[in-house]
Amino acid sequence: MKHSGMEEIIVVPDSYDVIHPFYNRIFLSVLDKIRIALFTILVLPIRLIGVAICVAVCWILSVAGTYGVTEKEIRDYPLEGKRRLVGKYLSFFGRLGFWFFGVRVQVKGEQATRQEAPVLVVAPHSSFTDLVIGMWMGLPHLVCRAEESRSLLVGSIMKYSQPVYVVRDDANSRQNTLKEMIRRATSSADWRQVMVFPEGTCTNRKAVITFKPGAFYPGVPVQPVCLRYAGSEDTISWTWDGPGVLKILWLTLTKTITTMTIEFLPSVVPSEKEKLDPNLFAENVQLLMARHLGVPVADYSFDDAQLVAKSKELGLPSCVGLLNARSVKIENGINQKMLKGELLEKFASIADKELGTITLMSLSCYLGIEEESKSLIKLLNFFDKDFSGYVNFKNYILGYLDIIRNCMSEENLPVLYVIIKQYNATTLLTKELDVNLLSYGELL
């Protein structure tokens, strides 16, 4: 798949002809560059001053609204009385700051009340700017990364909204987050709605990726909220393979206008079957939102995003990491650490860096054996089950696991013995397998 632009040609290998939701490139014309240069001098300083003033006011209001409230009270009880009124002013200055940022917000549909839908499900999630939409929703309780709380400015402002924090790599934290979401969504106390970005990471909005089931565990009605951005170039998407945060800020601040649409869809009441199966509920809402947005669904998740970043780090095309990692891990009993580390790193050491696949030539170079070798072809075909002439990352994983799990099978032993004895390529295997195979060789 090729995309020709004014600055770069993007080539996705045929072996990875897939939707890539974690990829973004910005292509600028000569006129775009002239506008950016002028806006950087004339407009950017004014916008930055406006944003800074609004952020400072929001910080002051947030600190005032939570002054004297302990962390336990912030977590356990909804803000009430005069503290609650602060939210109206906070929302006003938050919206004003977004206006200075150059984003104009349009709202379609009608937001449900907490009684109608305790949970707001927002997608697609494509940038840090999405967090500001709470200013148009009555400051719902956002489910977000614990890292957000460490920022002096953002952390204090978010504290007022009484967010539910989660530590991604901590299983206990995820369970506690789930319990807290259920508690707030089903409580009779005067909590605001809970807002969740169920994709769990940022994409380029070309597809709606897998929804995590957390927002659907309470078994209560949810309201889908669709986000759209309009503009000649996508300077908003903050993806795993794309411009960094500073470049996104600069290019968005130097655009004439970026239009953002927040669209409230009708609330979705779960069936009895969906109440018992949060994953089914999540899949159905994901499909509903994708259809409304006119984009496909994609079985990718935060795990795939990490593999995309690791692939890029290893010098491979980032699309190599598009694995449907969740399914691969469940079906084969492996974890993310093994995927990112042992498997992807070994694959990268053998693969053709430009194509992102293991070819006969790359395998020949790695092993130091002539391409015409029948044993080499046999070895490639062991991993290349469909005889396509190359091995992508997924096929490499399946072949590797076949080796590990069935190393002493009649089918695998001759091939593996060739690797160890004839090619002396012990780096493809584990030490335990080396011993088994060399013992097998003595019997030949």
Side-chain angles (χ1 to χ4, degrees):
M1 180 177 69
K2 296 185 179 181
H3 178 101
S4 60
M6 300 171 189
E7 295 184 346
E8 180 180 5
I9 295 179
I10 305 164
V11 179
V12 176
D14 292 338
S15 50
Y16 296 99
D17 189 12
V18 292
I19 298 170
H20 197 335
F22 307 114
Y23 185 96
N24 185 35
R25 291 294 184 272
I26 300 170
F27 304 99
L28 302 173
S29 66
V30 174
L31 290 177
D32 288 330
K33 293 176 181 179
I34 293 173
R35 186 206 69 236
I36 290 171
L38 291 174
F39 272 50
T40 299
I41 298 170
L42 303 175
V43 178
L44 180 59
I46 298 172
R47 284 184 168 176
L48 284 176
I49 291 171
V51 170
I53 291 173
C54 290
V55 170
V57 173
C58 287
W59 180 80
I60 293 170
L61 290 170
S62 300
V63 171
T66 57
Y67 181 76
V69 183
T70 66
E71 291 295 332
K72 186 178 186 305
E73 290 172 332
I74 284 287
R75 184 178 63 250
D76 293 344
Y77 307 102
L79 296 176
E80 297 177 341
K82 293 181 180 180
R83 296 185 188 277
R84 191 82 167 232
L85 291 175
V86 171
K88 294 184 178 180
Y89 301 100
L90 185 59
S91 293
F92 171 79
F93 282 100
R95 295 182 185 189
L96 182 60
F98 219 40
W99 185 89
F100 275 113
F101 190 66
V103 180
R104 304 296 179 262
V105 178
Q106 299 176 351
V107 179
K108 294 183 178 181
E110 184 176 347
Q111 183 176 352
T113 64
R114 180 178 178 273
Q115 290 68 34
E116 295 169 332
V119 179
L120 300 169
V121 176
V122 185
H125 181 27
S126 59
S127 186
F128 50 85
T129 55
D130 296 346
L131 302 179
V132 185
I133 67 173
M135 301 295 182
W136 280 263
M137 298 180 177
L139 296 176
H141 308 300
L142 176 65
V143 178
C144 60
R145 301 178 306 162
E147 292 90 332
E148 309 292 352
S149 65
R150 297 170 190 164
S151 169
L152 177 61
L153 284 174
V154 177
S156 297
I157 294 172
M158 292 187 68
K159 179 180 177 181
Y160 177 84
S161 71
Q162 297 180 278
V164 180
Y165 290 118
V166 59
V167 180
R168 280 174 168 154
D169 298 327
D170 185 342
N172 291 329
S173 173
R174 293 197 296 271
Q175 288 299 316
N176 292 335
T177 299
L178 186 58
K179 291 177 183 178
E180 183 63 15
M181 286 176 57
I182 295 174
R183 184 180 76 86
R184 294 195 190 186
T186 58
S187 173
S188 59
D190 191 23
W191 289 101
R192 296 185 290 273
Q193 290 167 296
V194 176
M195 183 172 77
V196 182
F197 293 95
E199 293 171 299
T201 191
C202 291
T203 71
N204 57 17
R205 303 185 303 280
K206 303 298 184 185
V208 178
I209 65 172
T210 302
F211 280 9
K212 294 184 176 182
F216 306 92
Y217 267 96
V220 299
V222 303
Q223 182 172 30
V225 182
C226 294
L227 296 185
R228 291 186 175 93
Y229 288 92
S232 57
E233 288 296 338
D234 182 7
T235 62
I236 287 290
S237 294
W238 186 29
T239 58
W240 292 77
D241 184 5
V245 62
L246 291 179
K247 186 173 183 179
I248 288 174
L249 285 170
W250 174 49
L251 293 179
T252 303
L253 283 163
T254 53
K255 283 182 71 172
T256 308
I257 280 179
T258 299
T259 302
M260 175 187 189
T261 301
I262 304 172
E263 185 171 6
F264 295 98
L265 303 187
S267 301
V268 178
V269 180
S271 65
E272 290 303 317
K273 190 174 182 180
E274 288 172 328
K275 288 180 181 179
L276 296 174
D277 187 351
N279 286 294
L280 175 64
F281 192 10
E283 289 172 7
N284 289 339
V285 174
Q286 177 197 14
L287 183 59
L288 170 70
M289 297 181 74
R291 284 175 177 170
H292 185 79
L293 290 162
V295 298
V297 296
D299 189 19
Y300 299 130
S301 64
F302 176 70
D303 291 340
D304 293 283
Q306 287 186 315
L307 291 173
V308 163
K310 185 67 174 180
S311 298
K312 185 180 177 184
E313 178 186 323
L314 293 170
L316 296 168
S318 63
C319 57
V320 170
L322 296 175
L323 189 65
N324 299 341
R326 185 183 59 150
S327 299
V328 171
K329 290 191 296 183
I330 292 174
E331 292 170 4
N332 296 284
I334 54 180
N335 58 35
Q336 184 72 359
K337 184 177 180 181
M338 184 177 182
L339 278 179
K340 278 180 62 181
E342 181 178 358
L343 290 172
L344 185 52
E345 288 177 2
K346 283 191 175 182
F347 177 81
S349 67
I350 308 169
D352 182 299
K353 291 296 191 291
E354 183 177 347
L355 297 176
T357 58
I358 296 175
T359 63
L360 192 62
M361 181 182 293
S362 69
L363 189 60
S364 170
C365 293
Y366 181 78
L367 295 175
I369 302 297
E370 294 182 359
E371 290 184 47
E372 293 77 14
S373 168
K374 292 182 179 179
S375 296
L376 188 70
I377 295 172
K378 186 176 182 181
L379 177 59
L380 182 72
N381 290 341
F382 176 81
F383 289 91
D384 179 20
K385 303 298 184 183
D386 54 3
F387 299 98
S388 59
Y390 53 76
V391 179
N392 62 26
F393 184 38
K394 186 171 184 177
N395 283 342
Y396 172 76
I397 291 171
L398 298 179
Y400 183 92
L401 294 176
D402 187 16
I403 292 173
I404 297 296
R405 292 168 180 167
N406 305 295
C407 61
M408 298 304 290
S409 70
E410 292 183 4
E411 177 187 359
N412 289 355
L413 273 171
V415 175
L416 301 180
Y417 180 71
V418 167
I419 298 174
I420 295 294
K421 195 71 175 175
Q422 187 170 341
Y423 298 151
N424 193 28
T426 56
T427 54
L428 284 173
L429 304 171
T430 64
K431 292 181 180 179
E432 291 77 9
L433 286 178
D434 294 350
V435 173
N436 289 338
L437 289 165
L438 291 174
S439 299
Y440 165 78
E442 293 174 359
L443 302 176
L444 295 180

